[in-house]
Amino acid sequence: MSRFFSPTLSNLEPYTPGEQPQDRSYVKLNTNESPYPPAPAVLEAIQKETGRLQLYPDPACAALRQKAADYYGLQPDQIMAGNGSDENLFFALRAFCDENHPLAHANITYGCYAVWCGLLHIPEDIIPLEADFSLDPVKYHGRNETIVIANPNAPTGLALPPEAIGAIADANPDNVVIVDEAYVDFGAESCVPLIASHDNLLVVQTFSKSRQMAGARLGLTMGPRELIADMERVRSSLNPYNINRMTLAAGIAALESTGYFDETRHQIMETRAWTAGQLARRGFELTDSRTNFLFARTDRMEGGALYRALREKGVLVRHFSAPRISDWLRITVGTLEQMEILLKQLDDILGG
Ligand SMILES: *Cc1c(COP(=O)(O)O)cnc(C)c1O
């Protein structure tokens, strides 16, 4: 830290993203990317757009918002586009929290919520998950605070039914409830239909996990138009051109590629079920994941040691050192071939 760095940020603890190593090629199961390429129409759309790079993109993202509105059964003014879910979530915290308006979130959950609270000086109300990692929705009733819930949760993979989220929104009528649906397309149920009946509910989705566009950076916030207008106020105060031309075009093409979307996410869910069965046969304990990753542990080796042994053998998974989950590994569901390599290396390491 230089002597010029703002003292108000001296305690900032930045998020540590999953490794993106360049030293050798790995079977990369550590950042929940899709193992499949983007839909062909997405690549075409990007190619077409490159000839217009000298022009700014549409700051209103009108064409994308119209396409998303048709897709989700909303109006365009109920949708805002962000540079990935991360930007959308950050804008939501900027808009609906501050020094005097805390954010309630789970422990364990997506690590960025705590990091943004640090950056924005937002006090945190941290609500521990139950012993089995489930989230007790009743603990979120009557909080009188802005709430963010990853549903399905990360890295536990567990999902709540929309009715439970709706009840949380009902039980906090004077606060905004943000649902982070990064993994919803892998077997959970979306809260988007609840927007019509809740004036305090925001739903955030991303093109990174289920639409093969992690590198393009695109996410959507959906909600009542008054809340979206507040979000737009923040967005336009920071970066009105937050979505670049290629990504805008790619997003439209991705929403149109419904066949490819369904095919790839169902393939991942199938591979997830097969891999979970294989791991269970080897004595692993697993959560009931509704995401594109598995959360698993074994008595046969401590989590950190198993992570390092797999890395040594060219398989990257994610290990978190937080106390309650330091024995667990988060394993992205890749192709069937990648999962076969994972299992073979696990058998080598564990003497299976
Ligand atoms: C991956 C992820 C994000 C961030 O997604 P981007 O759109 O790539 O920024 C947000 N929340 C959760 C829970 C995630 O897993």
Side-chain angles (χ1 to χ4, degrees):
M1 204 182 301
S2 83
R3 64 196 165 91
F4 305 105
F5 195 60
S6 166
T8 63
L9 294 181
S10 59
N11 291 328
L12 195 62
E13 276 200 43
Y15 181 72
T16 315
E19 304 158 88
Q20 302 284 359
Q22 317 288 333
D23 60 324
R24 57 178 277 195
S25 76
Y26 287 91
V27 174
K28 202 169 167 305
L29 308 174
N30 70 328
T31 49
N32 300 342
E33 291 146 327
S34 175
Y36 305 111
V42 167
L43 300 178
E44 257 169 62
I46 291 172
Q47 190 58 42
K48 254 198 214 153
E49 205 56 40
T50 54
R52 289 187 280 265
L53 259 186
Q54 72 277 24
L55 303 173
Y56 278 110
D58 171 17
C61 305
L64 173 66
R65 286 164 64 208
Q66 183 62 59
K67 177 62 67 181
D70 297 342
Y71 184 91
Y72 289 100
L74 298 169
Q75 296 300 314
D77 61 2
Q78 294 179 295
I79 300 175
M80 191 189 89
N83 196 292
S85 271
D86 281 345
E87 190 183 65
N88 278 310
L89 291 160
F90 180 85
F91 286 161
L93 298 204
R94 178 71 286 185
F96 305 113
C97 298
D98 58 37
E99 284 86 342
N100 304 311
H101 295 90
L103 179 72
H105 66 80
N107 178 18
I108 305 128
T109 190
Y110 184 46
C112 280
Y113 308 146
V115 174
W116 295 321
C117 285
L119 184 59
L120 296 170
H121 304 294
I122 297 167
E124 292 169 80
D125 182 17
I126 297 171
I127 306 169
L129 297 179
E130 306 308 293
D132 61 358
F133 297 145
S134 64
L135 184 152
D136 178 2
V138 175
K139 292 193 173 163
Y140 290 76
H141 289 194
R143 279 279 160 186
N144 214 19
E145 294 160 333
T146 304
I147 293 169
V148 64
I149 295 179
N151 192 48
N153 196 14
T156 63
L158 299 177
L160 287 173
E163 302 79 64
I165 303 277
I168 292 172
D170 289 336
N172 294 277
D174 298 323
N175 293 92
V176 173
V177 175
I178 306 157
V179 190
D180 180 354
E181 294 190 344
Y183 300 105
V184 76
D185 298 323
F186 299 107
E189 225 184 305
S190 175
C191 287
V192 166
L194 299 183
I195 291 171
S197 52
H198 294 81
D199 67 356
N200 61 338
L201 187 70
L202 281 180
V203 179
V204 179
Q205 290 196 5
T206 174
F207 287 61
S208 293
K209 312 282 163 59
S210 57
R211 296 181 192 275
Q212 293 86 23
M213 279 176 51
R217 314 305 303 130
L218 184 64
L220 300 174
T221 302
M222 295 173 273
R225 55 178 58 81
E226 292 78 11
L227 297 191
I228 295 298
D230 292 342
M231 295 276 292
E232 283 286 1
R233 212 163 277 136
V234 173
R235 185 184 74 93
S236 302
S237 304
L238 178 77
N239 184 7
Y241 300 111
N242 60 333
I243 315 295
N244 72 66
R245 275 188 171 276
M246 282 82 68
T247 296
L248 280 176
I252 293 168
L255 288 175
E256 286 170 348
S257 302
T258 50
Y260 189 79
F261 169 66
D262 283 333
E263 195 185 309
T264 47
R265 69 196 182 99
H266 284 119
Q267 182 60 61
I268 296 220
M269 287 188 269
E270 242 174 70
T271 307
R272 177 181 73 202
W274 180 80
T275 310
Q278 291 292 321
L279 288 169
R281 265 181 47 189
R282 288 160 171 83
F284 277 79
E285 180 184 352
L286 295 136
T287 61
D288 178 20
S289 173
R290 303 303 171 92
T291 66
N292 67 341
F293 58 81
L294 289 163
F295 199 49
R297 66 170 290 283
T298 172
D299 286 332
R300 294 154 71 190
M301 196 181 274
E302 182 267 322
L306 188 50
Y307 153 77
R308 285 186 296 275
L310 279 170
R311 192 179 203 288
E312 195 75 10
K313 289 181 168 291
V315 179
L316 269 189
V317 299
R318 190 88 203 257
H319 174 251
F320 299 93
S321 48
R324 283 179 68 186
I325 54 171
S326 62
D327 228 14
W328 292 75
L329 296 179
R330 192 195 70 188
I331 305 166
T332 304
V333 177
T335 61
L336 198 53
E337 295 71 34
Q338 289 178 312
M339 303 325 271
E340 280 167 348
I341 296 172
L342 164 82
L343 292 166
K344 177 184 176 309
Q345 300 299 1
L346 278 175
D347 288 342
D348 274 6
I349 294 164
L350 298 169

